[in-house]
Amino acid sequence: ATPTTGQLHVTQAYTATHFAPPTASSAVTLTQPLGLNLSARPNGVFIVVVAEVQNTGDVRLNLAQAEFTLADSAGHSYSRAQAAELALSVAGGLASTDIAPLSDHALPPNAQATGYLVFDVSPTYAAPLRLTARIPGSQSITSNAFTVED
């Protein structure tokens, strides 16, 4: 049997309909337009998942290389909405916290990190949900079953 490489625990999940950066005037003056759209709207509904990953193995876990998927109880699988994660981080991340996207972390053995991921999910998804991380060179880890807060 492959030894366990980590534990994944979802601590919070909620829906969002739109992410956009703050509209206050910026201290930055641009001489050329950037051509970036830093707002994001879902095809379905955004689910923001806050999760903790604990590295219980003896090798470094690079979460930037991980493939995170969200699965519902009906067997549908959803991938990350990276544009929404970028918009959320530019907008200041999660209100009143210093939590960064989960994919920003690399964990040495025995380390733990908390971060968020955003998924674009069908409005008719079937609860409960599970989060899975497939990390190259290590065993996949799957979270506890969880439901989205209202």
Side-chain angles (χ1 to χ4, degrees):
T2 308
T4 303
T5 55
Q7 294 177 340
L8 182 61
H9 180 74
V10 173
T11 58
Q12 183 182 18
Y14 59 92
T15 59
T17 56
H18 174 239
F19 294 121
T23 55
S25 62
S26 170
V28 178
T29 302
L30 297 176
T31 57
Q32 297 289 322
L34 284 176
L36 290 176
N37 177 5
L38 292 177
S39 64
R41 292 189 186 279
N43 294 319
V45 61
F46 285 138
I47 294 183
V48 179
V49 176
V50 179
E52 297 172 350
V53 177
Q54 176 144 15
N55 184 351
T56 57
D58 54 11
V59 295
R60 185 177 188 84
L61 295 180
N62 185 352
L63 299 182
Q65 296 176 349
E67 177 191 345
F68 292 95
T69 54
L70 193 63
D72 69 13
S73 62
H76 297 105
S77 184
Y78 305 97
S79 51
R80 287 172 52 205
Q82 291 177 312
E85 286 177 15
L86 176 63
L88 182 57
S89 67
V90 168
L94 300 181
S96 74
T97 67
D98 289 329
I99 299 175
L102 195 56
S103 57
D104 285 359
H105 298 280
L107 296 177
N110 301 314
Q112 178 175 319
T114 300
Y116 63 84
L117 300 164
V118 181
F119 296 88
D120 191 347
V121 175
S122 165
T124 59
Y125 74 90
L129 300 167
R130 286 187 187 273
L131 177 65
T132 298
R134 289 175 189 81
I135 305 167
S138 62
Q139 179 185 11
S140 293
I141 48 178
T142 299
S143 75
N144 51 310
F146 64 93
T147 56
V148 175
E149 299 167 15
D150 291 329

